[in-house]
Amino acid sequence: MSRSISRLLALAILFALASTSDALAHCFVGARFFPATLAIDDPCVADELSMPTVSWSRTADMPPATEWDFSGEISKRITENFGVSIGETWTQIRQPDGMVTAGFQDLETTFQYQLLKDRSHEFALLAGVIVDWGNTGAVNSGLGTSYSLVTPTLYFGKGFGDLPDTLSWVRPFALTGQVGYQMPTSSFDFTQAAFIPQQAVYGASLQYSLPYLKSEVVDLQLPDFFNHLIPIVEASFSTPVANNFGNPYTTTGTVNPGVIWVGGYFQIGLEAVIPINRESGSGVGVLGQLHLYLDDMFPATVGQPLFGGSQATPRKLTF
C-alpha cells in the first residue's frame, strides 16, 4: 500500500514541476488567501500535494530519543465541495544507546466537506472525518496500532480584512483552527495492557499575510521576496477526555513559530517546534514542508473536481 502511495506522490511531483500554466491560488475566500499550514489543516478542500514534510524532534523519554518523521499527503476534490486526502508517514527513532526503530505509521485518510465560504467576511468553515487505519503501519515496532482512530473535525478560517480602515494594520491578520474528537475503535490495547483514551485534538494558527498587505492595504515597496512571506504561529494540542483510567489527563502539544513563503505554484514552510511541557517532548525541534498547488498548476485537468468541475476562472494570487 505505502509503495503505491509513494509512486503516486512522486508522479504528481514530476507533473507539477513540468507544468507551465498560469498560477492560480487554491484557497481564496474573497480577497483572503489561506496558505496550507504545517501543524494543522487549512479550511479549504483543494487539489494539492504536501511532499515532503520533514520534522526532527526529541521525545519525552528520559533520556530522550531523537525522532525523524518524513511524510507525504495528496488531496483531491471529488466534487466542488467534497474532497479526500491520503497521507503516510515514515518514522525513525534513535535511542541514546544507538538502537534504531523505523517504519511506517498507520495510513491516514481524511474526508472533508466545504460548509461555507463567506467572501465579504473572509470566513471559511469545513467539516471532516480523519481516519487512521489500524494494522496499516509497523505495529510490531510500536509505530502503528492494531486499532483505528476516527476523528470528526471542524475547521475554520477567518481573515480580518473586513475591519475598518482605521485598523488597516490589523487587516492582514488571519486566524485558522480546527477542533476534533478522536475515538479509537477499541477501548483496550492488549499488547500494551493499557486503556486507549478518547481525546480532544485541537489547534490554531495566527498569521500575518504580507501578500495581503501589499494587494489590499498598502504597498510598502518591500523587496519582492518579502511580499511572498506569511509569518505564522501555530499551536497543536491533545487532551485525554475519556477512557483514560490510571493515567493523568495531561494536555500535550507544541507551539510552532515560523514563516511560509508563497509562490505561484508552491509554498515552502519552516517552523520551530516547541513542546508545551515535558510530556510533549524535550527541547526545540524543527518542521519543514514543500507544498504544491495542483489545482493552480493544472486548472483545466488535475486541478478540477472529478465531478461537476467549474469552468469559472479561479482567483489569481498576485504579489
Side-chain angles (χ1 to χ4, degrees), residues 42-57:
D42 64 81
C44 292
V45 292
D47 300 283
E48 55 194 11
L49 173 67
S50 295
M51 185 173 179
T53 301
V54 181
S55 67
W56 177 90
S57 61

Side-chain angles (χ1 to χ4, degrees), residues 63-179:
T66 58
E67 178 175 335
W68 284 96
D69 293 309
F70 301 86
S71 62
E73 182 180 45
I74 188 166
S75 301
K76 184 76 190 92
R77 288 179 298 167
I78 308 303
T79 67
E80 188 70 29
N81 292 315
F82 176 70
V84 177
S85 300
I86 302 174
E88 182 65 282
T89 299
W90 184 85
T91 295
Q92 181 193 80
I93 300 175
R94 183 179 296 275
Q95 302 294 339
D97 61 4
M99 179 179 176
V100 175
T101 300
F104 283 98
Q105 297 185 23
D106 289 337
L107 180 71
E108 180 181 281
T109 58
T110 303
F111 307 90
Q112 296 178 325
Y113 186 81
Q114 194 78 56
L115 297 174
L116 176 67
K117 281 188 176 181
D118 186 333
R119 297 170 56 87
S120 61
H121 295 289
E122 300 178 353
F123 180 70
L125 195 61
L126 181 71
V129 177
I130 305 169
V131 183
D132 297 281
W133 300 94
N135 290 309
T136 58
V139 177
N140 294 336
S141 299
L143 300 174
T145 63
S146 58
Y147 53 87
S148 298
L149 298 171
V150 181
T151 312
T153 306
L154 188 67
Y155 311 81
F156 68 88
K158 175 67 175 77
F160 299 142
D162 55 354
L163 292 175
D165 291 340
T166 54
L167 295 174
S168 60
W169 65 275
V170 182
R171 291 171 59 198
F173 275 105
L175 180 69
T176 70
Q178 64 184 64
V179 180

